[in-house]
Amino acid sequence: MKPAYFYIILGAGLWGTISWYVKNLYTYGFTPMEVVILRVWTTAILLVIFLLGFARNKLKLASLKDIRYFIGTGIFSIAFFNFCLFTAMELSTIPVATALLYTAPAFVTIFSAIFFGESLTKGKMIALVLTLIGTCLVVGVIPLNLTAVSYNAILFGLGSGLGYSLYSIFSKFALNKYSSLSITTFTFITAAVTLSPFFPFVQKGELLSNPAVLFYAFGLGFLPTAFAYIIYTYGLNRTEASKASILSTVEPVVATLIGIFLFQEVFTLLQMLGMICIIGAVLFIQVIAEKPYTSSRQIS
């Protein structure tokens, strides 16, 4: 396996553990948007502390106009897709919400062809079709049983897929000037500052002194967020955005296992078949790597 593929898969696998932290934060009365805000703030705090101690130069913007990249990754991607994803989890189940998130490869493949001129090869299209079939099986679209999942859950799930896809696109532009660590840090700083006014500090500020809440909040900000995004973006710089997006579909597998074994959520035989399709797409995209990808620059 190529090192870039390993980083992408590991990062996506860590993303799959998000639901454990989110579900536990819900038990304390936090809403989906409030959990999003907790996630971006704890991630931003951890990353800034790390960079102040070990790499202060990575906290500098090359140009103020570059903030547009991080508005894209921080607001249009991170804030938007997290809100949609966490809402879909609340309206349905972890496996269904996470599977809907993985309509993202379709969006990434289209956007990559438009913005980066990446070719739509037969291999990519086969992997993409496998991913979409798997997603349809998981949510109950195949066979036709749309009543199995509420329309609102499907809508928010698709919204999370769109928002999720935008991270790969905006990051690809930013990688021309910034390291993966800088991109991740600026992304979450932007999201944290933008969303702060929407957190009800008066009503729920006291909860932030609860050790259990802090554990889940900072846990959410560390492993499945800060660390996962750094290694995913590092791998993204060494492969095509469309391939990276399809490889990252290991996330719903991890999320599904958590939903079944930790939260006793129902998972049918057809949904299992759908997950097999998703895993198959991940394996297939590794086999059909038609040509080596060389980045225009290396991350320092």
Side-chain angles (χ1 to χ4, degrees):
M1 178 185 294
K2 292 184 178 181
Y5 292 176
F6 172 76
Y7 292 129
I8 290 167
I9 291 172
L10 178 58
L14 289 172
W15 285 336
T17 67
I18 288 172
S19 58
W20 183 73
Y21 300 95
V22 172
K23 288 283 189 178
N24 279 291
L25 285 170
Y26 282 165
T27 64
Y28 291 91
F30 291 108
T31 66
M33 178 55 78
E34 290 162 3
V35 174
V36 173
I37 297 171
L38 289 175
R39 184 188 188 191
V40 297
W41 260 110
T42 54
T43 303
I45 290 170
L46 291 169
L47 288 172
V48 169
I49 290 174
F50 176 78
L51 291 184
L52 285 175
F54 299 98
R56 293 193 176 192
N57 62 308
K58 295 188 183 296
L59 279 173
K60 296 179 181 178
L61 279 174
S63 171
L64 280 178
K65 68 179 182 180
D66 291 342
I67 194 67
R68 67 184 187 273
Y69 300 136
F70 308 117
I71 289 175
T73 56
I75 300 174
F76 293 109
S77 178
I78 297 299
F80 177 70
F81 107 70
N82 273 274
F83 171 69
C84 289
L85 175 62
F86 297 166
T87 302
M89 285 181 180
E90 191 175 45
L91 294 173
S92 57
T93 65
I94 293 171
V96 168
T98 312
L100 280 169
L101 173 66
Y102 276 86
T103 53
F107 294 114
V108 172
T109 300
I110 294 169
F111 292 152
S112 295
I114 295 172
F115 295 113
F116 306 127
E118 294 184 6
S119 58
L120 294 174
T121 65
K122 290 182 179 179
K124 285 183 189 177
M125 295 307 297
I126 291 173
L128 182 58
V129 169
L130 276 174
T131 300
L132 293 177
I133 289 174
T135 300
C136 289
L137 285 168
V138 168
V139 303
V141 176
I142 302 175
L144 291 175
N145 185 25
L146 291 176
T147 57
V149 181
S150 73
Y151 292 113
N152 283 339
I154 294 173
L155 181 62
F156 279 107
L158 292 174
S160 70
L162 173 62
Y164 179 40
S165 71
L166 294 177
Y167 183 81
S168 293
I169 302 304
F170 285 110
S171 289
K172 203 70 174 176
F173 283 114
L175 280 166
N176 291 321
K177 298 174 68 174
Y178 297 94
S179 70
S180 60
L181 186 55
S182 293
I183 291 172
T184 306
T185 303
F186 289 133
T187 291
F188 283 93
I189 289 175
T190 303
V193 171
T194 303
L195 295 178
S196 289
F198 300 99
F199 191 85
F201 288 99
V202 175
Q203 294 85 357
K204 297 183 178 178
E206 290 186 5
L207 287 173
L208 300 181
S209 61
N210 185 319
V213 170
L214 291 175
F215 170 77
Y216 292 123
F218 276 94
L220 178 61
F222 178 52
L223 271 181
T225 310
F227 183 65
Y229 269 96
I230 289 170
I231 60 176
Y232 174 82
T233 310
Y234 186 84
L236 177 64
N237 194 36
R238 286 157 173 78
T239 190
E240 295 181 359
S242 51
K243 286 182 181 177
S245 181
I246 296 173
L247 283 169
S248 63
T249 50
V250 297
E251 178 184 351
V253 178
V254 176
T256 295
L257 294 175
I258 289 176
I260 294 171
F261 293 107
L262 294 185
F263 298 106
Q264 290 77 52
E265 294 184 341
V266 176
F267 195 58
T268 67
L269 183 61
L270 279 177
Q271 288 176 318
M272 184 178 297
L273 179 59
M275 202 58 70
I276 290 173
C277 288
I278 292 173
I279 298 173
V282 172
L283 296 176
F284 186 73
I285 198 66
Q286 295 181 54
V287 174
I288 56 91
E290 298 89 352
K291 58 183 179 179
Y293 177 80
T294 302
S295 172
S296 59
R297 64 178 294 278
Q298 296 296 314
I299 294 178
S300 57

